[in-house]
PDB file of all heavy atoms in Angstrom:
ATOM      1  N   ASN U 899     -91.401 -48.809  -9.444  1.00  0.00           N
ATOM      2  CA  ASN U 899     -91.347 -50.263  -9.293  1.00  0.00           C
ATOM      3  C   ASN U 899     -91.516 -50.907 -10.660  1.00  0.00           C
ATOM      4  O   ASN U 899     -92.459 -50.587 -11.392  1.00  0.00           O
ATOM      5  CB  ASN U 899     -92.477 -50.752  -8.373  1.00  0.00           C
ATOM      6  CG  ASN U 899     -92.225 -50.429  -6.921  1.00  0.00           C
ATOM      7  OD1 ASN U 899     -91.103 -50.518  -6.448  1.00  0.00           O
ATOM      8  ND2 ASN U 899     -93.280 -50.056  -6.204  1.00  0.00           N
ATOM      9  N   SER U 900     -90.625 -51.816 -10.984  1.00  0.00           N
ATOM     10  CA  SER U 900     -90.741 -52.555 -12.231  1.00  0.00           C
ATOM     11  C   SER U 900     -92.006 -53.407 -12.195  1.00  0.00           C
ATOM     12  O   SER U 900     -92.437 -53.852 -11.124  1.00  0.00           O
ATOM     13  CB  SER U 900     -89.503 -53.432 -12.414  1.00  0.00           C
ATOM     14  OG  SER U 900     -89.567 -54.118 -13.632  1.00  0.00           O
ATOM     15  N   MET U 901     -92.584 -53.637 -13.375  1.00  0.00           N
ATOM     16  CA  MET U 901     -93.804 -54.440 -13.532  1.00  0.00           C
ATOM     17  C   MET U 901     -95.027 -53.783 -12.877  1.00  0.00           C
ATOM     18  O   MET U 901     -95.957 -54.462 -12.440  1.00  0.00           O
ATOM     19  CB  MET U 901     -93.618 -55.866 -12.998  1.00  0.00           C
ATOM     20  CG  MET U 901     -92.364 -56.560 -13.521  1.00  0.00           C
ATOM     21  SD  MET U 901     -92.257 -56.560 -15.309  1.00  0.00           S
ATOM     22  CE  MET U 901     -92.736 -58.239 -15.650  1.00  0.00           C
ATOM     23  N   HIS U 902     -95.013 -52.454 -12.820  1.00  0.00           N
ATOM     24  CA  HIS U 902     -96.143 -51.669 -12.328  1.00  0.00           C
ATOM     25  C   HIS U 902     -96.483 -50.625 -13.392  1.00  0.00           C
ATOM     26  O   HIS U 902     -95.610 -50.190 -14.136  1.00  0.00           O
ATOM     27  CB  HIS U 902     -95.794 -50.973 -11.009  1.00  0.00           C
ATOM     28  CG  HIS U 902     -95.645 -51.912  -9.858  1.00  0.00           C
ATOM     29  ND1 HIS U 902     -94.657 -52.872  -9.803  1.00  0.00           N
ATOM     30  CD2 HIS U 902     -96.356 -52.039  -8.715  1.00  0.00           C
ATOM     31  CE1 HIS U 902     -94.764 -53.551  -8.664  1.00  0.00           C
ATOM     32  NE2 HIS U 902     -95.797 -53.076  -7.994  1.00  0.00           N
ATOM     33  N   ARG U 903     -97.753 -50.202 -13.429  1.00  0.00           N
ATOM     34  CA  ARG U 903     -98.230 -49.230 -14.429  1.00  0.00           C
ATOM     35  C   ARG U 903     -98.258 -47.825 -13.838  1.00  0.00           C
ATOM     36  O   ARG U 903     -98.660 -47.628 -12.690  1.00  0.00           O
ATOM     37  CB  ARG U 903     -99.631 -49.608 -14.910  1.00  0.00           C
ATOM     38  CG  ARG U 903     -99.654 -50.937 -15.649  1.00  0.00           C
ATOM     39  CD  ARG U 903    -101.032 -51.267 -16.194  1.00  0.00           C
ATOM     40  NE  ARG U 903    -101.389 -50.278 -17.197  1.00  0.00           N
ATOM     41  CZ  ARG U 903    -102.620 -49.797 -17.385  1.00  0.00           C
ATOM     42  NH1 ARG U 903    -103.616 -50.215 -16.638  1.00  0.00           N
ATOM     43  NH2 ARG U 903    -102.864 -48.909 -18.316  1.00  0.00           N
ATOM     44  N   TYR U 904     -97.857 -46.848 -14.661  1.00  0.00           N
ATOM     45  CA  TYR U 904     -97.770 -45.459 -14.206  1.00  0.00           C
ATOM     46  C   TYR U 904     -98.374 -44.476 -15.200  1.00  0.00           C
ATOM     47  O   TYR U 904     -98.398 -44.731 -16.401  1.00  0.00           O
ATOM     48  CB  TYR U 904     -96.304 -45.072 -13.971  1.00  0.00           C
ATOM     49  CG  TYR U 904     -95.697 -45.804 -12.799  1.00  0.00           C
ATOM     50  CD1 TYR U 904     -94.984 -46.978 -12.988  1.00  0.00           C
ATOM     51  CD2 TYR U 904     -95.865 -45.331 -11.502  1.00  0.00           C
ATOM     52  CE1 TYR U 904     -94.436 -47.658 -11.913  1.00  0.00           C
ATOM     53  CE2 TYR U 904     -95.328 -46.010 -10.416  1.00  0.00           C
ATOM     54  CZ  TYR U 904     -94.615 -47.176 -10.630  1.00  0.00           C
ATOM     55  OH  TYR U 904     -94.087 -47.850  -9.565  1.00  0.00           O
ATOM     56  N   GLN U 905     -98.816 -43.347 -14.644  1.00  0.00           N
ATOM     57  CA  GLN U 905     -99.302 -42.224 -15.437  1.00  0.00           C
ATOM     58  C   GLN U 905     -98.409 -41.012 -15.146  1.00  0.00           C
ATOM     59  O   GLN U 905     -98.377 -40.528 -14.018  1.00  0.00           O
ATOM     60  CB  GLN U 905    -100.747 -41.866 -15.064  1.00  0.00           C
ATOM     61  CG  GLN U 905    -101.254 -40.578 -15.690  1.00  0.00           C
ATOM     62  CD  GLN U 905    -101.396 -40.672 -17.194  1.00  0.00           C
ATOM     63  OE1 GLN U 905    -102.173 -41.463 -17.704  1.00  0.00           O
ATOM     64  NE2 GLN U 905    -100.629 -39.870 -17.918  1.00  0.00           N
ATOM     65  N   PRO U 906     -97.655 -40.537 -16.141  1.00  0.00           N
ATOM     66  CA  PRO U 906     -96.908 -39.293 -15.938  1.00  0.00           C
ATOM     67  C   PRO U 906     -97.879 -38.119 -15.809  1.00  0.00           C
ATOM     68  O   PRO U 906     -98.913 -38.087 -16.480  1.00  0.00           O
ATOM     69  CB  PRO U 906     -96.082 -39.147 -17.228  1.00  0.00           C
ATOM     70  CG  PRO U 906     -96.107 -40.483 -17.883  1.00  0.00           C
ATOM     71  CD  PRO U 906     -97.393 -41.128 -17.455  1.00  0.00           C
ATOM     72  N   ARG U 907     -97.537 -37.177 -14.936  1.00  0.00           N
ATOM     73  CA  ARG U 907     -98.320 -35.946 -14.804  1.00  0.00           C
ATOM     74  C   ARG U 907     -97.376 -34.764 -14.967  1.00  0.00           C
ATOM     75  O   ARG U 907     -96.243 -34.792 -14.474  1.00  0.00           O
ATOM     76  CB  ARG U 907     -99.010 -35.860 -13.439  1.00  0.00           C
ATOM     77  CG  ARG U 907    -100.143 -36.836 -13.271  1.00  0.00           C
ATOM     78  CD  ARG U 907    -100.930 -36.568 -12.015  1.00  0.00           C
ATOM     79  NE  ARG U 907    -100.062 -36.491 -10.841  1.00  0.00           N
ATOM     80  CZ  ARG U 907    -100.485 -36.289  -9.589  1.00  0.00           C
ATOM     81  NH1 ARG U 907    -101.758 -36.131  -9.352  1.00  0.00           N
ATOM     82  NH2 ARG U 907     -99.640 -36.245  -8.585  1.00  0.00           N
ATOM     83  N   PHE U 908     -97.854 -33.742 -15.633  1.00  0.00           N
ATOM     84  CA  PHE U 908     -97.077 -32.538 -15.913  1.00  0.00           C
ATOM     85  C   PHE U 908     -97.724 -31.368 -15.172  1.00  0.00           C
ATOM     86  O   PHE U 908     -98.951 -31.219 -15.208  1.00  0.00           O
ATOM     87  CB  PHE U 908     -97.067 -32.302 -17.430  1.00  0.00           C
ATOM     88  CG  PHE U 908     -96.538 -30.968 -17.843  1.00  0.00           C
ATOM     89  CD1 PHE U 908     -95.213 -30.634 -17.627  1.00  0.00           C
ATOM     90  CD2 PHE U 908     -97.360 -30.045 -18.460  1.00  0.00           C
ATOM     91  CE1 PHE U 908     -94.722 -29.398 -18.012  1.00  0.00           C
ATOM     92  CE2 PHE U 908     -96.883 -28.811 -18.858  1.00  0.00           C
ATOM     93  CZ  PHE U 908     -95.558 -28.488 -18.634  1.00  0.00           C
ATOM     94  N   HIS U 909     -96.914 -30.561 -14.498  1.00  0.00           N
ATOM     95  CA  HIS U 909     -97.436 -29.463 -13.678  1.00  0.00           C
ATOM     96  C   HIS U 909     -96.781 -28.137 -14.052  1.00  0.00           C
ATOM     97  O   HIS U 909     -95.559 -28.068 -14.199  1.00  0.00           O
ATOM     98  CB  HIS U 909     -97.172 -29.731 -12.194  1.00  0.00           C
ATOM     99  CG  HIS U 909     -97.609 -31.088 -11.727  1.00  0.00           C
ATOM    100  ND1 HIS U 909     -98.902 -31.386 -11.388  1.00  0.00           N
ATOM    101  CD2 HIS U 909     -96.906 -32.244 -11.576  1.00  0.00           C
ATOM    102  CE1 HIS U 909     -98.982 -32.660 -11.021  1.00  0.00           C
ATOM    103  NE2 HIS U 909     -97.787 -33.198 -11.145  1.00  0.00           N
ATOM    104  N   VAL U 910     -97.615 -27.119 -14.185  1.00  0.00           N
ATOM    105  CA  VAL U 910     -97.159 -25.749 -14.410  1.00  0.00           C
ATOM    106  C   VAL U 910     -97.431 -25.005 -13.108  1.00  0.00           C
ATOM    107  O   VAL U 910     -98.576 -24.941 -12.650  1.00  0.00           O
ATOM    108  CB  VAL U 910     -97.934 -25.072 -15.564  1.00  0.00           C
ATOM    109  CG1 VAL U 910     -97.534 -23.617 -15.722  1.00  0.00           C
ATOM    110  CG2 VAL U 910     -97.731 -25.851 -16.866  1.00  0.00           C
ATOM    111  N   VAL U 911     -96.366 -24.447 -12.496  1.00  0.00           N
ATOM    112  CA  VAL U 911     -96.508 -23.784 -11.203  1.00  0.00           C
ATOM    113  C   VAL U 911     -96.097 -22.321 -11.334  1.00  0.00           C
ATOM    114  O   VAL U 911     -94.952 -22.015 -11.702  1.00  0.00           O
ATOM    115  CB  VAL U 911     -95.636 -24.472 -10.122  1.00  0.00           C
ATOM    116  CG1 VAL U 911     -95.835 -23.790  -8.769  1.00  0.00           C
ATOM    117  CG2 VAL U 911     -95.955 -25.958 -10.037  1.00  0.00           C
ATOM    118  N   PHE U 912     -97.038 -21.418 -11.052  1.00  0.00           N
ATOM    119  CA  PHE U 912     -96.751 -19.986 -11.036  1.00  0.00           C
ATOM    120  C   PHE U 912     -95.941 -19.668  -9.788  1.00  0.00           C
ATOM    121  O   PHE U 912     -96.310 -20.058  -8.677  1.00  0.00           O
ATOM    122  CB  PHE U 912     -98.068 -19.198 -11.056  1.00  0.00           C
ATOM    123  CG  PHE U 912     -97.934 -17.755 -10.681  1.00  0.00           C
ATOM    124  CD1 PHE U 912     -97.116 -16.900 -11.424  1.00  0.00           C
ATOM    125  CD2 PHE U 912     -98.618 -17.236  -9.600  1.00  0.00           C
ATOM    126  CE1 PHE U 912     -96.987 -15.565 -11.070  1.00  0.00           C
ATOM    127  CE2 PHE U 912     -98.499 -15.903  -9.249  1.00  0.00           C
ATOM    128  CZ  PHE U 912     -97.678 -15.060  -9.985  1.00  0.00           C
ATOM    129  N   VAL U 913     -94.821 -18.977  -9.965  1.00  0.00           N
ATOM    130  CA  VAL U 913     -93.979 -18.568  -8.828  1.00  0.00           C
ATOM    131  C   VAL U 913     -94.582 -17.279  -8.278  1.00  0.00           C
ATOM    132  O   VAL U 913     -94.395 -16.199  -8.828  1.00  0.00           O
ATOM    133  CB  VAL U 913     -92.506 -18.369  -9.246  1.00  0.00           C
ATOM    134  CG1 VAL U 913     -91.674 -17.930  -8.049  1.00  0.00           C
ATOM    135  CG2 VAL U 913     -91.948 -19.640  -9.871  1.00  0.00           C
ATOM    136  N   ASP U 914     -95.325 -17.421  -7.203  1.00  0.00           N
ATOM    137  CA  ASP U 914     -96.072 -16.317  -6.603  1.00  0.00           C
ATOM    138  C   ASP U 914     -95.125 -15.445  -5.779  1.00  0.00           C
ATOM    139  O   ASP U 914     -94.528 -15.913  -4.814  1.00  0.00           O
ATOM    140  CB  ASP U 914     -97.177 -16.898  -5.717  1.00  0.00           C
ATOM    141  CG  ASP U 914     -98.216 -15.879  -5.315  1.00  0.00           C
ATOM    142  OD1 ASP U 914     -97.886 -14.685  -5.221  1.00  0.00           O
ATOM    143  OD2 ASP U 914     -99.369 -16.295  -5.085  1.00  0.00           O
ATOM    144  N   PRO U 915     -94.970 -14.156  -6.149  1.00  0.00           N
ATOM    145  CA  PRO U 915     -94.028 -13.294  -5.421  1.00  0.00           C
ATOM    146  C   PRO U 915     -94.535 -12.795  -4.057  1.00  0.00           C
ATOM    147  O   PRO U 915     -93.770 -12.223  -3.293  1.00  0.00           O
ATOM    148  CB  PRO U 915     -93.836 -12.116  -6.386  1.00  0.00           C
ATOM    149  CG  PRO U 915     -95.109 -12.053  -7.164  1.00  0.00           C
ATOM    150  CD  PRO U 915     -95.609 -13.469  -7.265  1.00  0.00           C
ATOM    151  N   ARG U 916     -95.805 -13.046  -3.745  1.00  0.00           N
ATOM    152  CA  ARG U 916     -96.346 -12.562  -2.464  1.00  0.00           C
ATOM    153  C   ARG U 916     -95.634 -13.216  -1.285  1.00  0.00           C
ATOM    154  O   ARG U 916     -95.276 -14.387  -1.334  1.00  0.00           O
ATOM    155  CB  ARG U 916     -97.850 -12.836  -2.373  1.00  0.00           C
ATOM    156  CG  ARG U 916     -98.670 -12.021  -3.357  1.00  0.00           C
ATOM    157  CD  ARG U 916    -100.134 -12.367  -3.283  1.00  0.00           C
ATOM    158  NE  ARG U 916    -100.384 -13.626  -3.974  1.00  0.00           N
ATOM    159  CZ  ARG U 916    -101.590 -14.090  -4.271  1.00  0.00           C
ATOM    160  NH1 ARG U 916    -102.665 -13.413  -3.927  1.00  0.00           N
ATOM    161  NH2 ARG U 916    -101.733 -15.225  -4.898  1.00  0.00           N
ATOM    162  N   ARG U 917     -95.451 -12.447  -0.247  1.00  0.00           N
ATOM    163  CA  ARG U 917     -94.742 -12.921   0.944  1.00  0.00           C
ATOM    164  C   ARG U 917     -95.424 -14.145   1.570  1.00  0.00           C
ATOM    165  O   ARG U 917     -94.763 -15.046   2.051  1.00  0.00           O
ATOM    166  CB  ARG U 917     -94.674 -11.785   1.974  1.00  0.00           C
ATOM    167  CG  ARG U 917     -93.714 -12.039   3.111  1.00  0.00           C
ATOM    168  CD  ARG U 917     -93.651 -10.844   4.019  1.00  0.00           C
ATOM    169  NE  ARG U 917     -93.318  -9.667   3.213  1.00  0.00           N
ATOM    170  CZ  ARG U 917     -92.395  -8.782   3.547  1.00  0.00           C
ATOM    171  NH1 ARG U 917     -91.744  -8.909   4.663  1.00  0.00           N
ATOM    172  NH2 ARG U 917     -92.148  -7.757   2.779  1.00  0.00           N
ATOM    173  N   ASP U 918     -96.750 -14.188   1.529  1.00  0.00           N
ATOM    174  CA  ASP U 918     -97.496 -15.303   2.128  1.00  0.00           C
ATOM    175  C   ASP U 918     -97.996 -16.255   1.036  1.00  0.00           C
ATOM    176  O   ASP U 918     -99.086 -16.815   1.130  1.00  0.00           O
ATOM    177  CB  ASP U 918     -98.665 -14.779   2.972  1.00  0.00           C
ATOM    178  CG  ASP U 918     -99.634 -13.921   2.175  1.00  0.00           C
ATOM    179  OD1 ASP U 918     -99.278 -13.520   1.032  1.00  0.00           O
ATOM    180  OD2 ASP U 918    -100.737 -13.653   2.668  1.00  0.00           O
ATOM    181  N   SER U 919     -97.168 -16.458   0.005  1.00  0.00           N
ATOM    182  CA  SER U 919     -97.581 -17.227  -1.176  1.00  0.00           C
ATOM    183  C   SER U 919     -98.003 -18.663  -0.852  1.00  0.00           C
ATOM    184  O   SER U 919     -98.818 -19.238  -1.566  1.00  0.00           O
ATOM    185  CB  SER U 919     -96.473 -17.235  -2.219  1.00  0.00           C
ATOM    186  OG  SER U 919     -95.331 -17.883  -1.709  1.00  0.00           O
ATOM    187  N   GLU U 920     -97.462 -19.242   0.224  1.00  0.00           N
ATOM    188  CA  GLU U 920     -97.841 -20.621   0.549  1.00  0.00           C
ATOM    189  C   GLU U 920     -99.338 -20.749   0.833  1.00  0.00           C
ATOM    190  O   GLU U 920     -99.918 -21.809   0.645  1.00  0.00           O
ATOM    191  CB  GLU U 920     -97.001 -21.187   1.707  1.00  0.00           C
ATOM    192  CG  GLU U 920     -97.196 -20.530   3.052  1.00  0.00           C
ATOM    193  CD  GLU U 920     -96.418 -19.217   3.225  1.00  0.00           C
ATOM    194  OE1 GLU U 920     -95.598 -18.872   2.366  1.00  0.00           O
ATOM    195  OE2 GLU U 920     -96.657 -18.537   4.244  1.00  0.00           O
ATOM    196  N   ARG U 921     -99.978 -19.659   1.266  1.00  0.00           N
ATOM    197  CA  ARG U 921    -101.422 -19.672   1.509  1.00  0.00           C
ATOM    198  C   ARG U 921    -102.198 -19.887   0.214  1.00  0.00           C
ATOM    199  O   ARG U 921    -103.346 -20.316   0.241  1.00  0.00           O
ATOM    200  CB  ARG U 921    -101.891 -18.349   2.137  1.00  0.00           C
ATOM    201  CG  ARG U 921    -101.507 -18.196   3.599  1.00  0.00           C
ATOM    202  CD  ARG U 921    -102.072 -16.911   4.203  1.00  0.00           C
ATOM    203  NE  ARG U 921    -103.431 -16.629   3.800  1.00  0.00           N
ATOM    204  CZ  ARG U 921    -103.885 -15.398   3.509  1.00  0.00           C
ATOM    205  NH1 ARG U 921    -103.078 -14.355   3.551  1.00  0.00           N
ATOM    206  NH2 ARG U 921    -105.138 -15.215   3.163  1.00  0.00           N
ATOM    207  N   PHE U 922    -101.577 -19.572  -0.911  1.00  0.00           N
ATOM    208  CA  PHE U 922    -102.262 -19.640  -2.208  1.00  0.00           C
ATOM    209  C   PHE U 922    -101.729 -20.777  -3.079  1.00  0.00           C
ATOM    210  O   PHE U 922    -102.042 -20.850  -4.265  1.00  0.00           O
ATOM    211  CB  PHE U 922    -102.101 -18.307  -2.950  1.00  0.00           C
ATOM    212  CG  PHE U 922    -102.535 -17.132  -2.132  1.00  0.00           C
ATOM    213  CD1 PHE U 922    -101.594 -16.334  -1.495  1.00  0.00           C
ATOM    214  CD2 PHE U 922    -103.882 -16.830  -1.969  1.00  0.00           C
ATOM    215  CE1 PHE U 922    -101.985 -15.254  -0.731  1.00  0.00           C
ATOM    216  CE2 PHE U 922    -104.274 -15.747  -1.195  1.00  0.00           C
ATOM    217  CZ  PHE U 922    -103.334 -14.953  -0.572  1.00  0.00           C
ATOM    218  N   ALA U 923    -100.919 -21.637  -2.499  1.00  0.00           N
ATOM    219  CA  ALA U 923    -100.253 -22.689  -3.275  1.00  0.00           C
ATOM    220  C   ALA U 923    -101.246 -23.493  -4.116  1.00  0.00           C
ATOM    221  O   ALA U 923    -100.968 -23.817  -5.280  1.00  0.00           O
ATOM    222  CB  ALA U 923     -99.471 -23.613  -2.355  1.00  0.00           C
ATOM    223  N   HIS U 924    -102.410 -23.825  -3.547  1.00  0.00           N
ATOM    224  CA  HIS U 924    -103.411 -24.634  -4.264  1.00  0.00           C
ATOM    225  C   HIS U 924    -103.981 -23.926  -5.488  1.00  0.00           C
ATOM    226  O   HIS U 924    -104.545 -24.559  -6.371  1.00  0.00           O
ATOM    227  CB  HIS U 924    -104.537 -25.030  -3.301  1.00  0.00           C
ATOM    228  CG  HIS U 924    -105.299 -23.871  -2.757  1.00  0.00           C
ATOM    229  ND1 HIS U 924    -104.771 -23.038  -1.785  1.00  0.00           N
ATOM    230  CD2 HIS U 924    -106.526 -23.377  -3.064  1.00  0.00           C
ATOM    231  CE1 HIS U 924    -105.655 -22.083  -1.514  1.00  0.00           C
ATOM    232  NE2 HIS U 924    -106.718 -22.268  -2.274  1.00  0.00           N
ATOM    233  N   GLN U 925    -103.820 -22.581  -5.550  1.00  0.00           N
ATOM    234  CA  GLN U 925    -104.347 -21.808  -6.686  1.00  0.00           C
ATOM    235  C   GLN U 925    -103.291 -21.572  -7.765  1.00  0.00           C
ATOM    236  O   GLN U 925    -103.615 -21.153  -8.863  1.00  0.00           O
ATOM    237  CB  GLN U 925    -104.822 -20.425  -6.210  1.00  0.00           C
ATOM    238  CG  GLN U 925    -105.928 -20.463  -5.202  1.00  0.00           C
ATOM    239  CD  GLN U 925    -106.214 -19.068  -4.646  1.00  0.00           C
ATOM    240  OE1 GLN U 925    -105.576 -18.086  -5.004  1.00  0.00           O
ATOM    241  NE2 GLN U 925    -107.185 -18.990  -3.753  1.00  0.00           N
ATOM    242  N   ASN U 926    -102.022 -21.830  -7.432  1.00  0.00           N
ATOM    243  CA  ASN U 926    -100.917 -21.388  -8.284  1.00  0.00           C
ATOM    244  C   ASN U 926    -100.331 -22.465  -9.192  1.00  0.00           C
ATOM    245  O   ASN U 926     -99.219 -22.326  -9.670  1.00  0.00           O
ATOM    246  CB  ASN U 926     -99.802 -20.779  -7.430  1.00  0.00           C
ATOM    247  CG  ASN U 926    -100.218 -19.441  -6.854  1.00  0.00           C
ATOM    248  OD1 ASN U 926    -101.065 -18.753  -7.407  1.00  0.00           O
ATOM    249  ND2 ASN U 926     -99.614 -19.078  -5.734  1.00  0.00           N
TER     250      ASN U 926
END
């Protein structure tokens, strides 16, 4: 939205090869 203030955030995400990787998403 124009005339609004923002903070960019940068994320590094490890691609977890485990079959149930979604269980660990918060750690990756």
Side-chain angles (χ1 to χ4, degrees):
N899 286 321
S900 182
M901 310 306 257
H902 290 64
R903 296 183 64 217
Y904 292 95
Q905 171 67 62
R907 289 189 308 181
F908 169 66
H909 309 278
V910 176
V911 182
F912 165 60
V913 179
D914 194 331
R916 293 177 283 191
R917 193 176 305 227
D918 58 347
S919 63
E920 66 279 352
R921 286 184 42 220
F922 306 101
H924 63 286
Q925 299 173 359
N926 289 334

